[in-house]
Amino acid sequence: MNILGIWRDPIVRLFVIVELLVLAPYVAPWLTAHQLEIYADLYATIPTKLAVILALLYRPWRGRRPAEQRFWLLLAAAYGCWVVADVLAFGVPLSWFRDPRSGLIEDLLFVGFYVMVALALERRPHERAPRDGVSRLRSYRSAGAIIFGAGLLVYFAVVPREFEPRAFVHLMPSMMLYVILDVYVLSRAVTIRAACRCPRWRRVYGLMIVTVALWTVFDTVEGLFYAELLPWVPMG
């Protein structure tokens, strides 16, 4: 497909428009460095995530097999959890998230995000109708993803908030939770891609691997900032 053919896709045009609108405040002369930092932290990514959700839902029903439909819908639901977490942060100060009990809502939303991405991968949409034994194995793996996410949530979010709430002053338990889930989803994507022989789905899984690898790097660096192992450099 050439560049002109790609541009004819309405989702591509939507993404270009959204990104131009998102970038516009960065060249606005009346915004201070502090205001830009707040915008980048809380607002800038939400339009992009909403556009991603629309893209994921745009063609899930047109001639797609049920496993593929569920794959795209689960990814859209995952991003929906992420958007809700971002919207929740609109009028909420950072101290709210550092509160041992109220910050649990954010952790719950992000665990839901990761679990839904893992469930989407476990749909293995590149496979044709599986045999009964393979279908049961897929169900076990999906159940395992849910149990694993719930177990990590209890271990890193519920228990520390109950017995060591001071640990959340620097948000470290939450960041450890996210990094472990990053690595888990990344390992599942790599494993599933290695078993896939369909060129189309190998490209899809490959893009997911790159994306999740970037999440892992960014979450690790952010965790190091909160742990004060890396210096925090404010904008401006």
Side-chain angles (χ1 to χ4, degrees):
M1 182 181 292
N2 56 33
I3 298 298
L4 183 59
I6 295 175
W7 180 248
R8 291 195 183 101
D9 190 319
I11 294 298
V12 173
R13 295 199 297 271
L14 173 66
F15 263 97
V16 171
I17 294 171
V18 168
E19 292 309 307
L20 289 174
L21 292 174
V22 166
L23 292 173
Y26 291 102
V27 297
W30 56 85
L31 293 179
T32 66
H34 179 64
Q35 290 172 327
L36 283 176
E37 185 174 4
I38 294 174
Y39 170 76
D41 285 342
L42 298 180
Y43 308 109
T45 63
I46 292 179
T48 301
K49 291 167 188 170
L50 290 173
V52 169
I53 292 173
L54 181 60
L56 292 169
L57 295 176
Y58 183 61
R59 297 186 184 94
W61 306 108
R62 297 184 182 180
R64 308 297 187 187
R65 291 179 294 109
E68 183 174 351
Q69 293 174 6
R70 288 191 290 270
F71 174 83
W72 299 118
L73 289 173
L74 283 165
L75 287 181
Y79 272 87
C81 289
W82 198 349
V83 169
V84 171
D86 286 348
V87 171
L88 188 64
F90 266 169
V92 178
L94 182 61
S95 58
W96 187 89
F97 293 106
R98 287 177 173 170
D99 179 82
R101 299 192 184 279
S102 58
L104 182 62
I105 298 174
E106 185 187 36
D107 285 342
L108 180 61
L109 286 168
F110 277 114
V111 168
F113 165 78
Y114 284 107
V115 167
M116 287 184 189
V117 174
L119 291 177
L121 287 168
E122 297 302 345
R123 292 301 90 201
R124 297 174 181 249
H126 63 278
E127 296 180 352
R128 295 299 176 182
R131 300 183 302 275
D132 289 341
V134 175
S135 180
R136 284 197 300 271
L137 180 60
R138 180 183 294 175
S139 298
Y140 294 153
R141 286 170 174 160
S142 297
I146 296 172
I147 294 170
F148 183 67
L152 288 178
L153 178 68
V154 171
Y155 185 81
F156 283 100
V158 177
V159 172
R161 280 181 168 87
E162 186 65 30
F163 296 102
E164 191 58 38
R166 290 176 298 177
F168 284 87
V169 172
H170 297 292
L171 304 178
M172 278 308 299
S174 293
M175 296 311 305
M176 293 172 65
L177 170 65
Y178 304 155
V179 171
I180 292 174
L181 287 168
D182 285 330
V183 173
Y184 169 69
V185 173
L186 180 61
S187 66
R188 294 306 301 147
V190 170
T191 301
I192 291 171
R193 185 181 187 276
C196 175
R197 295 294 175 263
C198 174
R200 176 197 173 211
W201 284 105
R202 285 182 64 84
R203 288 193 296 270
V204 172
Y205 297 142
L207 290 172
M208 291 185 70
I209 289 169
V210 172
T211 302
V212 181
L214 290 173
W215 294 344
T216 306
V217 172
F218 294 152
D219 286 341
T220 300
V221 171
E222 186 176 359
L224 293 174
F225 281 137
Y226 286 127
E228 299 180 351
L229 297 175
L230 287 177
W232 186 274
V233 180
M235 293 181 62

